[in-house]
């Protein structure tokens, strides 16, 4: 298959290792990955903050960037960005009365998948160790981000993939379905409430005894990781794609926390 | 009539340009699958869960079951249409009959220990007994003020789910749907039985002989 | 009656207790500091949440019921004029009297005159959101009429000179010890030895209110449903205080929002499955009362109904937000809301707290009223409310829409842009072009410098400081993925090889830690 990677703006700028891991997994399965150069961002921050007018050029750019490429499926390592592409883009286009954009957005949205969705539903990956050679000998807990869980109905897809990684010890997260408190600009506008939610999430993660909390949304992971870092926790966050990409030959190395300092970029590979 | 016209005209303006109304899908269950024994078991299970007392008896044993539930009552009120036989086994209590022509005053109801009524329809799935104000069930006040309600449920009136009950009910009759005794969960969500309604709900399910 | 559809009628905005008088952000900040409140709320919301999940999972057709419930309500909104007329005709035919009220002021005046006609100065009340919304108790009190709340939680709130903080369990913020103290201080003849045992507390309320019920001549209620085809009203409750109020007094005055109509009797079979399970997490609430006008010697002889707009037509005119009127006041959304769980109901200001309140209050009053524009931001958009809603109100979508209304409204009155406006405008420019983003990403190494040895950024200026108040930001990578991809393509080209596709991503020069 020819797969177009939608890196998402946050992964592109802050977590390139997550995008590299995504490419690596797909190429390991024998697929061709392309990167539409015009892409930038899904515009969800603008939409969710009520800045519809400012969101429109961002949406237009995304739709145009993907419409002009030739591919079988687009993939993003982010549930919420995929949900935005699928749901918010046509909504915004309709709201602005741009029927052409709405139709194009529907077309792009229909071909866009979240990574675990693509792996499980389209590429038939059910066992990460067997099919991807995934190996990661660490104790890992897992936070399912809200938009993947509730807007895309990802269910257990990400968790199932993690649980089939060789060597991985899976520690279930108490009250996993509770929001981490990120919510885009919510974390700034209602920072106190967001922090209260974040603290409960961090407590739950620490209670598992896992050194890592995996997830599928870089923004939530940055939020949780940022909170863990601030409280000097030994735990940190990592995108599940990086765990799937890790093998015996080229393991994902998690640097030791030094004096409470946590490196959040998923380490080196 | 000013406000009514104002409101309706605003509603009409708000609805202007809307798409036509679509049909309502009703894919939910419209009928159950249980036989009578299962219905009785199911209803009993629900009622017990609500902390109601339940006896399942044959029609021939109804009088005795009523007498047992009312053993400690010194006074009992009954609706005028109730089968006189039902209360005949209660020897020691004063029995007062309430009727539309001679309603029992509320003060007297407050001093009455128990009430005995029949019921119109019961829903097994939710453990709900429905009284509809007909002569075997009486005015709403009589099944409300006394502290014990002994309620007879003929097995033939039990349905499995609520949508089956609706067509059996006459909307114009005042109705009381009862699912267990009075209860509150207002204090730390801890359920306490018995606030204002009858604190004791005693149900007798009468099987067809 | 002829209505000229060409001329829009005067917009009627909700009034009464529908306003946040303080921005949610600052009210929430204060409430968050109340440890007791947080503990009480956490216990309560989690208990009720679990109960709801249990009873919902029992029904094999829960989703079908939700779908029907949602579509019935849609149908009601679309046919509202016709259904209201039908309801009025049926209700009136059985001896009921209907009064229409544009807003809280009119509704309060109608109720007052009905009470005055009886000569009474004390009335008993069943818990009702509509009467709380219009501030009826306060209004009656100012005129020397004592309205006694008879629902246990409402009584606790009333005796404690407090405000409800949850639409179903209004005293959810109080624990048993606090309730005992209120009862000891406020209930005449309450035993000084009263303990905090809930059974004892409930018995105390029973004894106090029993006398009130037996002597009351006038009762005031809300209604959960009004059935158009039959003219039937329904009240759903647990304690029996509702039955007392609806059955014993001579005069019954009900206040109901115009959106509470259901078309048909059989629709009750849907909503009475949805409501109790969603609200208290019970298969069915202990008591429901249904009445259709007057019923001979059974129940009140004077039956009144006040049909209330108070902003509902305004909400109806908002096509994107209209479905908020589907709400059946079950409170499932607040019980699953992570924001409500931590701030409690008072932070929202309005009678309607939680996710539904965050949309309903501004929809009823208009987004620019008082501080109601801060309410739609009281959500991380996690979506738990939408999943729990028995009538499928897409609360997150409406929240976002109301935020857009707020942004528009702010822009129309403000000359200088806010920091957020500037940020959004700048981000829009940068994120609407791959080339521009690529250009900006050249600054990533500078961000690494800012992060310093720690490899984390712990302080940012301005509104971004909201983030760094409790969270670090990791040091940015040396280069963006976009750049790394371009390098890889360059590398592949120079190799001139197309054969080895596998693992090329890792063949390019590997970055250092945290690249």
């Amino acid at each position: 298959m020819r797969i177009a990677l939608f890196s998402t703006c946050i992964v592109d700028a802050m977590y390139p290792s997550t995008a590299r891991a995504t490419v690596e997994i797909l190429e390991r399965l024998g697929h061709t990955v392309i990167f539409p150069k015009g892409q930038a961002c899904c515009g969800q921050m603008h939409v969710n903050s009520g800045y519809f007018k400012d969101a429109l050029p961002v949406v237009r750019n995304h739709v145009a960037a993907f419409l002009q490429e030739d591919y079988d499926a687009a993939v993003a390592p982010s549930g919420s960005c995929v949900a935005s592409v699928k749901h918010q883009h046509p909504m915004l286009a309709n709201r602005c009365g741009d029927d052409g954009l709405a139709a194009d957005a529907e077309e792009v949205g229909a071909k866009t998948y979240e990574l675990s969705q693509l792996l499980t539903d389209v590429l038939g990956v059910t066992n990460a160790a067997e099919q991807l050679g995934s190996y990661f000998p660490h104790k890992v807990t897992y936070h399912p981000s809200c938009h993947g869980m509730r807007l895309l109905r990802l269910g257990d897809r990400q968790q199932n993939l993690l649980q089939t990684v060789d060597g991985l010890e899976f520690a279930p997260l108490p009250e996993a379905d509770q929001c981490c408190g990120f919510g885009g600009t919510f974390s700034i506008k209602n920072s106190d409430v967001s922090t209260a939610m974040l603290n409960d999430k961090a407590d739950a993660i620490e209670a598992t005894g896992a050194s890592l909390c995996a997830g599928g949304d870089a923004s939530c992971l940055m939020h949780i990781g940022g909170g863990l870092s601030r409280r000097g926790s030994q735990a940190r966050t990592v995108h599940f794609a990086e765990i799937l990409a890790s093998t015996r030959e080229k393991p994902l190395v998690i640097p030791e926390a030094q004096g409470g300092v946590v490196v959040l970029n998923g380490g080196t590979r | 009539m000013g406000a009514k016209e104002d409101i309706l005209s605003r509603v009409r303006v708000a609805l202007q340009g809307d798409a036509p109304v679509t049909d309502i899908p009703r894919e939910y269950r419209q009928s159950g699958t249980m036989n009578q024994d299962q219905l009785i078991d199911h209803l009993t299970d629900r009622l017990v869960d609500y902390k109601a007392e339940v006896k399942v008896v044959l029609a021939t044993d109804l009088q005795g079951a009523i007498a047992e539930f009312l053993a400690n009552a010194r006074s009992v009120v009954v609706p005028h249409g109730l089968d006189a036989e039902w209360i005949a086994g209660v020897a020691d209590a004063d029995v007062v009959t309430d009727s539309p022509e001679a309603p029992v005053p509320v003060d007297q109801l407050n001093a009455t220990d128990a009430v005995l009524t029949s019921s119109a329809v019961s829903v097994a799935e939710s453990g709900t007994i429905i009284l509809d104000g007909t002569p075997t069930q009486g005015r709403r006040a009589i099944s409300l003020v006394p502290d014990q309600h002994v309620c007879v449920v003929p097995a033939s009136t039990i349905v499995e789910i609520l949508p089956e009950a609706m067509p059996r009910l006459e909307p114009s009759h005042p109705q009381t749907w009862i699912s267990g005794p009075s209860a509150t969960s207002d204090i730390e969500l801890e359920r306490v039985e018995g606030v204002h309604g009858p604190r004791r709900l005693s149900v007798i399910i009468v099987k067809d002989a | 009656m002829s209505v000229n559809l060409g001329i829009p009628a005067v917009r009627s905005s909700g009034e009464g207790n529908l306003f946040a008088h303080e921005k949610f952000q600052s009210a929430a900040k204060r409430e968050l500091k109340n440890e007791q409140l947080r503990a009480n709320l956490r216990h309560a919301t989690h208990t009720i949440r679990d109960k709801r999940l249990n009873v919902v999972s029992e029904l094999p057709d829960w989703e079908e019921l939700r779908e029907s419930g949602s579509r019935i309500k849609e149908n009601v909104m679309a046919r509202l004029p016709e259904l209201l007329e039908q309801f009025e005709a049926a209700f009136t035919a059985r001896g009921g009297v209907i009064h229409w009220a544009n807003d809280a002021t009119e509704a309060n005046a109608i109720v007052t005159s009905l009470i005055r006609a009886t000569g009474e100065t004390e009335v008993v009340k069943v818990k009702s959101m509509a009467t709380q919304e219009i501030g009826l108790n306060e209004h009656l009190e100012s005129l020397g009429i004592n309205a006694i709340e008879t629902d246990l939680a409402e009584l606790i709130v009333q005796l404690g000179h407090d405000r409800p903080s949850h639409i179903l369990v209004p005293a959810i913020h109080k624990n048993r010890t606090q309730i005992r103290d209120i009862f000891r201080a406020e209930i005449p003849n309450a035993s000084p030895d009263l303990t905090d045992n809930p059974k004892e507390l409930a018995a105390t309320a029973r004894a106090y209110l029993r006398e009130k019920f037996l002597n009351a001549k006038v009762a005031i209620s809300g209604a959960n449903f009004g059935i158009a085809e039959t003219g039937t009203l329904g009240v759903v409750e647990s304690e029996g205080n509702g039955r007392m109020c609806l059955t014993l007094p001579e005069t019954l005055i009900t206040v109901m929002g115009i959106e509470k109509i259901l078309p048909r009797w059989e629709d009750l079979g849907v909503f009475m499955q949805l409501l109790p399970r969603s609200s208290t997490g019970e298969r069915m609430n202990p008591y429901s009362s249904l009445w259709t006008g007057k019923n001979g010697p059974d129940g009140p002889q004077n039956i009144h109904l006040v049909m209330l707009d108070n902003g509902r037509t305004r909400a109806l005119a908002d096509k994107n937000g209209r479905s908020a009127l589907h709400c059946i006041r079950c409170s499932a959304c607040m019980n699953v809301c992570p924001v409500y769980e931590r701030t409690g109901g008072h932070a929202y200001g309005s009678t309607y707290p939680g996710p539904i309140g965050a949309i309903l209050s501004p929809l009823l009053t208009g987004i620019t009223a008082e501080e109601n524009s801060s309410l739609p931001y009281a959500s991380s958009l996690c979506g738990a409310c939408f999943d729990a809603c028995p009538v499928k109100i897409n609360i997150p979508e409406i929240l976002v829409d109301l935020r857009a209304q707020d942004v528009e409204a702010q822009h129309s009155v403000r000359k200088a842009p806010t920091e957020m406006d500037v940020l959004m405008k700048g981000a829009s420019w940068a994120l609407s072009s791959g080339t521009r983003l690529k250009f900006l990403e050249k600054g990533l190494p500078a961000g690494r410098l800012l992060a310093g040895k720690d490899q984390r950024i712990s302080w940012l200026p301005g509104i971004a400081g909201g983030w760094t108040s409790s969270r670090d930001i990791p040091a940015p990578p040396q280069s963006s993925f976009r750049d790394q991809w371009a390098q890889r393509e360059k590398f592949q080209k120079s190799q001139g090889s197309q054969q080895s596709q596998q693992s090329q991503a890792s063949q390019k020069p590997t970055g250092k830690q945290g690249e």
Side-chain angles (χ1 to χ4, degrees):
Chain A
M1 265 176 89
R2 194 173 160 83
I3 299 167
L5 173 66
F6 169 33
S7 65
T8 78
C9 64
I10 183 170
V11 164
D12 177 28
M14 293 296 286
Y15 301 98
S17 56
T18 297
R20 290 205 310 276
T22 304
V23 172
E24 194 163 325
I25 294 164
L26 297 173
E27 291 185 342
R28 209 178 281 164
L29 289 165
H31 301 286
T32 303
V33 179
I34 61 161
F35 182 80
K37 285 197 175 54
Q39 67 174 285
C41 170
C42 64
Q44 146 176 225
M45 174 181 76
H46 288 98
V47 175
N48 286 347
S49 305
Y51 284 75
F52 285 9
K53 270 186 196 151
D54 292 323
L56 196 59
V58 184
V59 170
R60 272 191 209 291
N61 178 68
H62 180 87
V63 172
F66 279 80
L67 205 63
Q68 68 191 28
E69 300 281 348
D70 177 32
Y71 60 90
D72 302 308
V75 68
S78 160
S80 79
C81 304
V82 171
S84 171
V85 167
K86 282 181 171 299
H87 305 143
Q88 290 186 335
H89 288 193
M91 179 278 286
L92 195 73
N94 283 322
R95 193 65 69 82
C96 299
D98 190 335
D99 295 345
L101 180 64
D104 290 347
E106 291 280 1
E107 190 184 328
V108 170
K111 280 168 79 178
T112 306
Y113 296 82
E114 182 277 332
L115 179 59
S116 71
Q117 226 174 14
L118 183 78
L119 290 174
T120 311
D121 302 357
V122 182
L123 305 180
V125 178
T126 52
N127 189 310
E130 280 175 19
Q131 291 165 279
L132 297 169
S134 309
Y135 169 73
F136 192 67
H138 298 274
K139 187 171 180 178
V140 174
T141 188
Y142 163 74
H143 167 69
S145 284
C146 301
H147 290 179
M149 179 168 54
R150 301 202 180 90
L151 294 177
L152 295 182
R153 303 285 170 200
L154 293 182
D156 293 334
R157 287 179 180 82
Q158 293 177 355
Q159 184 174 322
N160 287 344
L161 289 168
L162 284 170
Q163 285 179 304
T164 54
V165 170
D166 198 14
L168 187 142
E169 183 191 344
F170 189 85
L173 182 66
E175 300 192 351
D177 65 347
Q178 294 299 295
C179 177
C180 73
F182 172 58
T185 47
F186 171 76
S187 59
I188 296 172
K189 284 204 165 190
N190 276 291
S191 181
D192 299 286
V193 187
S194 166
T195 298
M197 290 159 71
L198 174 60
N199 284 336
D200 290 344
K201 184 58 73 180
D203 287 346
I205 290 168
E206 287 176 352
T208 65
S211 56
L212 284 166
C213 176
D217 277 79
S219 48
C220 306
L221 293 176
M222 180 162 102
H223 183 245
I224 299 168
L228 290 168
S229 165
R230 178 60 60 86
R231 56 154 74 188
S233 175
Q234 294 300 301
R236 83 249 356 240
T237 53
V238 62
H239 195 284
F240 81 94
E242 305 203 33
I243 294 179
L244 296 188
S246 173
T247 60
R248 281 178 195 276
E249 295 72 34
K250 284 181 294 165
L252 169 63
V253 179
I254 301 296
E256 290 298 311
Q258 291 161 357
V261 176
V262 176
V263 179
L264 296 135
N265 283 7
T268 51
R269 186 172 33 256
Chain B
M1 288 299 281
K4 179 184 173 185
E5 302 209 343
D6 288 350
I7 293 170
L8 290 182
S9 93
R10 281 195 300 271
V11 170
R12 291 192 175 96
V13 170
L15 297 175
Q16 243 179 321
D18 282 6
V21 190
T22 52
D23 286 345
I24 297 164
R26 294 185 190 270
E27 302 294 316
Y28 55 85
R29 291 172 299 158
Q30 302 275 355
S31 57
T33 55
M34 291 181 180
N35 64 31
Q36 196 173 83
D37 285 340
Q38 290 170 316
L39 288 173
I40 291 171
D41 285 350
H42 211 50
L43 179 63
T44 303
D45 174 77
R46 289 349 191 192
L47 289 168
V48 168
D49 185 46
Y50 293 144
K51 308 275 165 53
E53 311 168 292
V54 185
K55 285 182 200 283
V56 181
V57 300
L58 292 172
T60 46
D61 300 327
L62 175 60
Q63 206 186 67
I66 289 170
E68 275 178 46
F69 270 143
L70 290 172
N72 297 323
R74 289 156 303 158
S75 50
V76 181
V77 59
V78 295
H80 69 287
L82 200 79
D83 188 339
E85 282 294 303
W86 288 11
I87 196 78
V90 181
D92 303 333
D94 295 333
V95 176
V96 188
T97 302
D98 181 271
S99 71
E101 296 73 32
V104 177
V106 69
D107 284 343
Q108 193 184 338
L109 287 176
N110 194 38
T112 303
D113 290 337
V115 56
L116 171 65
T117 72
S118 186
S119 56
V121 182
S122 291
V123 183
E125 186 174 65
S126 61
T128 304
I129 300 169
I130 300 175
L131 272 54
D132 70 356
T134 45
T136 59
Q137 296 145 58
R139 293 187 308 130
R140 285 173 288 170
I142 66 166
S143 54
L144 171 64
V145 181
D147 211 17
Q148 184 189 8
H149 181 190
V150 179
C151 187
V152 175
V153 174
S156 60
T157 64
I158 306 173
V159 295
E160 186 178 333
I161 56 176
L162 190 56
E164 291 174 286
M166 300 313 293
R168 295 191 179 206
L169 293 164
E170 170 49 50
S172 63
H173 291 171
Q175 289 172 27
T176 307
W177 296 17
I178 299 171
S179 307
S182 160
T184 183
S185 299
D186 280 344
I187 302 169
E188 295 182 20
L189 291 169
E190 191 171 299
R191 190 177 163 107
V192 176
E193 275 77 27
V195 193
H196 304 297
R199 284 182 281 198
R200 205 176 149 199
L201 175 65
S202 317
V203 180
I204 305 169
I205 300 172
V206 190
K207 284 172 121 168
D208 300 340
Chain C
M1 188 182 69
S2 75
V3 175
N4 185 351
L5 289 177
I7 303 163
V10 179
R11 242 186 174 189
S12 165
S13 295
E15 42 177 51
N17 296 327
L18 288 171
F19 303 96
H21 298 291
E22 180 185 6
K23 281 194 166 53
F24 178 82
Q25 289 88 321
S26 55
K29 190 171 184 159
R30 185 180 54 249
E31 299 293 324
L32 276 165
K33 290 183 184 138
N34 186 341
E35 298 285 334
Q36 179 73 61
L37 174 76
R38 293 260 304 272
N40 293 354
L41 281 170
R42 185 180 159 80
H43 168 73
T45 53
H46 282 243
T47 306
I48 210 161
R49 208 184 274 187
D50 294 345
K51 283 175 70 182
R52 187 189 80 86
L53 280 177
N54 276 337
V55 294
V56 162
S57 66
E58 277 180 8
L59 294 191
D61 54 348
W62 181 251
E63 285 308 317
E64 286 78 9
L65 286 166
R66 278 181 87 206
E67 179 62 19
S68 293
S70 167
R71 296 286 290 279
I72 289 168
K73 281 292 189 180
E74 238 172 62
N75 184 281
V76 168
M77 298 311 147
R79 296 169 51 209
L80 201 50
E82 154 203 351
L83 293 175
L84 285 168
E85 298 269 20
Q86 190 188 7
F87 178 88
E88 181 176 40
F91 187 79
T92 310
R94 297 204 33 105
V97 183
I98 293 206
H99 314 262
W100 298 75
N102 276 304
D103 51 32
T105 308
E106 287 186 17
N108 286 334
I110 292 165
V111 176
T112 305
S113 71
L114 290 171
I115 296 171
R116 285 207 164 136
T118 67
E120 293 294 310
T121 55
E122 189 168 278
V123 300
V124 287
K125 271 192 77 202
V126 199
K127 177 173 156 26
S128 131
M129 297 312 300
T131 60
Q132 250 165 46
E133 172 191 324
I134 60 175
L136 180 64
N137 289 8
E138 301 93 297
H139 177 79
L140 293 177
E141 198 184 326
S142 74
L143 299 171
I145 298 168
N146 187 19
I148 299 164
E149 290 290 353
T150 62
D151 168 78
L152 181 53
E154 292 288 359
L155 180 70
I156 293 165
V157 168
Q158 192 177 44
L159 292 176
H161 311 289
D162 197 358
R163 286 182 302 139
S165 65
H166 187 285
I167 66 171
L168 180 77
V169 258
I172 197 170
H173 56 293
K174 295 282 188 211
N175 64 21
R176 60 184 71 191
T177 316
Q178 294 168 315
I179 294 166
R180 179 205 61 195
D181 294 343
I182 292 169
F183 278 15
R184 275 187 188 169
E186 301 287 336
I187 292 189
N189 309 323
S191 161
D193 301 325
L194 181 64
T195 73
D196 63 4
N197 179 332
K199 267 195 162 55
E200 250 184 78
L201 295 170
T204 303
R206 177 188 170 98
Y208 169 65
L209 289 174
R210 176 64 60 135
E211 186 220 325
K212 303 282 183 196
F213 289 135
L214 297 182
N215 295 308
K217 299 281 182 287
V218 181
I220 296 171
S221 84
N224 292 90
F225 309 106
I227 314 290
E229 72 173 353
T230 61
T232 306
L233 290 173
V235 163
V236 170
E237 51 129 1
S238 294
E239 296 166 9
N241 62 309
R243 293 177 66 188
M244 293 280 178
C245 292
L246 302 169
T247 310
L248 302 183
E250 289 164 8
T251 299
L252 172 61
I253 305 164
T254 302
V255 182
M256 179 176 84
I258 54 170
E259 84 285 16
K260 292 279 165 195
I261 294 286
L262 294 179
R264 286 153 62 176
W265 175 250
E266 74 170 313
D267 297 332
L268 210 51
V270 174
F271 283 89
M272 287 304 292
Q273 290 187 77
L274 291 171
L275 178 57
R277 282 184 162 86
S278 300
S279 58
T280 50
E282 292 169 301
R283 295 185 179 111
M284 188 67 89
N285 51 293
Y287 297 138
S288 298
S289 296
L290 300 168
W291 71 99
T292 308
K294 254 195 283 195
N295 296 285
D298 185 348
Q301 297 304 298
N302 309 304
I303 303 255
H304 295 276
L305 173 66
V306 181
M307 280 281 198
L308 180 70
D309 182 344
N310 204 38
R312 283 156 179 79
T313 49
R314 172 185 261 280
L316 191 70
D318 186 325
K319 295 196 196 304
N320 298 312
R322 177 186 292 175
S323 62
L325 294 175
H326 296 185
C327 176
I328 54 172
R329 312 286 190 260
C330 72
S331 76
C333 62
M334 52 201 78
N335 295 329
V336 299
C337 177
V339 175
Y340 176 89
E341 179 189 330
R342 287 164 181 88
T343 65
H346 293 159
Y348 296 79
S350 162
T351 291
Y352 302 107
I356 187 65
I359 59 172
L360 195 55
S361 309
L363 281 165
L364 293 172
T365 64
I367 192 77
T368 55
E370 298 229 14
E371 300 294 351
N372 279 6
S373 64
S374 69
L375 297 175
Y377 297 95
S379 168
S380 65
L381 304 179
C382 81
C385 50
F386 183 23
D387 274 9
C389 179
V391 288
K392 296 173 116 174
I393 302 170
N394 192 335
I395 296 176
E397 201 170 279
I398 300 175
L399 285 167
V400 167
D401 200 81
L402 287 165
R403 291 175 186 184
Q405 285 186 26
D406 172 49
V407 169
E408 281 292 307
Q410 298 289 335
H411 286 177
S412 69
V413 295
R414 208 168 37 218
K415 289 202 177 75
T418 62
E419 203 184 336
M420 184 62 96
D421 293 341
V422 172
L423 183 92
M424 288 293 165
K425 188 65 77 189
S428 173
W429 178 83
L431 297 173
S432 55
S433 148
T435 319
R436 287 198 284 265
L437 182 56
K438 182 179 160 72
F439 173 74
L440 284 174
E441 283 166 351
K442 301 285 179 214
L444 289 172
R448 279 179 80 78
L449 280 177
L450 181 69
K453 260 192 196 158
D454 259 11
Q455 299 214 3
R456 56 178 169 176
I457 296 164
S458 302
W459 181 87
L460 285 172
I463 51 172
W467 176 278
T468 49
S469 66
S470 62
R471 316 153 190 94
D472 293 335
I473 293 179
Q478 292 282 11
S479 60
S480 67
F481 174 75
R482 188 183 303 271
D483 267 3
Q484 294 172 13
W485 183 268
Q487 278 174 35
R488 171 179 130 145
E489 287 197 322
K490 212 190 275 173
F491 176 77
Q492 281 174 347
K493 244 180 219 158
S494 71
Q495 296 282 299
S497 102
Q498 300 293 319
Q499 76 262 39
S500 82
Q501 280 199 335
Q502 212 174 3
S503 301
Q504 277 181 355
S506 59
Q507 281 175 18
K508 61 172 181 37
T510 326
K512 298 289 176 282
Q513 176 180 302
E515 61 193 293

